Amino acid sequence: APAPEVVADGVLTVCTSLPYRPFEFRQEGEVVGFDIDLAREVASRLDLEAKFVNTDFDGLAAGTPLNDGTCDVGVAGMTITGDRARVLDFTSPYFNAAQSLVVGASSGVTSLDELSGRKIAVQEGTTAELYVTDNAPADAEIVTVEKPFEIVAALRDGQVAAGVYDNTVVGGVVERNPEIAVAAEFDTGEQYGMVLKKDGSVELVRSINAILADLRSDGGYDAIYEKWFGS
Ligand code: ARG
C-alpha cells in the first residue's frame, strides 16, 4: 500500500525529465513515452492517477523534488548507482542500458581513445558523464550540456568531436539525424529504476516492486516495451 499522504488526493505525482526519447518526451503537446506508460500503469494498479512534473535531471538524481514534496516518485531513465542510492530509494530495475559513443557519420572515429585533446559532450549529472570522466583520455575535454538533444546540436555544429549517452535512446537519435553515427558501445551493465525519497515509504517501494514483478509476468511490461521499442 502506498503511504497515506500519497493516497489522500488519489494522485501519484511523478517527476520525470524531458526529453529523453523514447522514455519521456512531448508529442503533440502530450508527455508520452516508455517511462510515462510504465508509471501510469503502476499508478493505476495503486488505484491512483499519475500526474507528471518535468524536472531537471541533475536535481532529480540528487533527490531534490522528492525531498521537497514536489513528487512521490521519479522516473527518468535513471540508472541505479551506489552513489545515488545513498540519497534516493530505488525500486527494482525495469530496464537494462549501456553507453554509446556517437560521432559525426563521416568522422572515422571508432573509439574513445582516439579523442585525445578533443571535446566530448555528455548530459550533466548522468552516468555518461561518469563513464567519460573515468575512461576518456586524460586530456580530452568533457563538455556538459543540460539537455540530451544539445549533444546532437554540438556534434552537428562541430563544437565537439563526440558525445556519449545511453544506448537506449541513441537508436532514435541516429535515425532522426543521419549525419550522426554510433562509433562504439560500452557495456556498462546499467539498470534503470524508479526513485523515491530516501527512507520515505518502504511500503510504497514494496508495492511498486510487486507491481513491476506482476507487469513482467502478466504481459503488461511487454506491451509497453513493444509500443516504444518494437519494430
Ligand atoms: N541513464 C542515465 C543516468 O541515469 C541517463 C538518464 C537521463 N535521463 C533523462 N531523462 N534525461 O544518468
Side-chain angles (χ1 to χ4, degrees):
E5 65 271 19
V6 176
V7 180
D9 58 358
V11 172
L12 185 72
T13 313
V14 183
C15 273
T16 189
S17 187
L18 304 167
Y20 210 57
R21 187 171 170 171
F23 291 91
E24 45 263 349
F25 61 108
R26 270 185 235 274
Q27 196 166 61
E28 288 155 21
E30 299 265 308
V31 175
V32 298
F34 181 96
D35 281 348
I36 305 304
D37 283 347
L38 192 66
R40 264 194 226 289
E41 193 54 40
V42 165
S44 135
R45 292 182 186 211
L46 290 166
D47 283 322
L48 300 169
E49 188 203 329
K51 222 197 233 150
F52 296 92
V53 179
N54 187 24
T55 54
D56 125 77
F57 183 80
D58 213 18
L60 183 56
T64 311
L66 297 161
N67 294 331
D68 71 12
T70 303
C71 300
D72 304 312
V73 182
V75 60
M78 193 183 294
T79 302
I80 300 168
T81 70
D83 278 346
R84 289 173 179 164
R86 276 203 280 279
V87 296
L88 299 169
D89 279 348
F90 279 98
T91 64
S92 33
Y94 68 86
F95 214 95
N96 296 330
Q99 293 297 320
S100 293
L101 178 69
V102 293
V103 298
S106 54
S107 69
V109 172
T110 60
S111 75
L112 213 46
D113 301 342
E114 293 160 46
L115 296 166
S116 183
R118 307 189 66 190
K119 290 184 181 162
I120 308 170
V122 292
Q123 185 183 4
E124 184 175 18
T126 59
T127 47
E129 182 178 6
L130 282 181
Y131 185 84
V132 170
T133 305
D134 291 347
N135 295 285
D139 64 349
E141 187 185 332
I142 301 168
V143 177
T144 56
V145 297
E146 260 167 51
K147 296 285 176 187
F149 57 78
E150 294 171 58
I151 296 173
V152 175
L155 253 179
R156 211 195 276 128
D157 298 349
Q159 285 161 4
V160 298
V164 173
Y165 41 167
D166 293 24
N167 67 334
T168 54
V169 298
V170 98
V173 170
V174 168
E175 210 172 288
R176 293 188 298 277
N177 302 277
E179 67 277 36
I180 286 159
V182 178
E185 191 167 298
F186 313 117
D187 184 10
T188 51
E190 293 173 58
Q191 296 188 300
Y192 298 165
M194 294 188 177
V195 289
L196 295 94
K197 178 178 166 169
K198 183 83 193 158
D199 300 328
S201 171
V202 186
E203 304 251 302
L204 183 53
V205 177
R206 266 197 211 125
S207 319
I208 294 176
N209 285 342
I211 292 169
L212 290 174
D214 287 348
L215 281 165
R216 292 276 192 174
S217 55
D218 66 18
Y221 182 94
D222 290 342
I224 299 174
Y225 185 91
E226 191 57 31
K227 175 173 169 191
W228 296 105
F229 292 95
S231 39

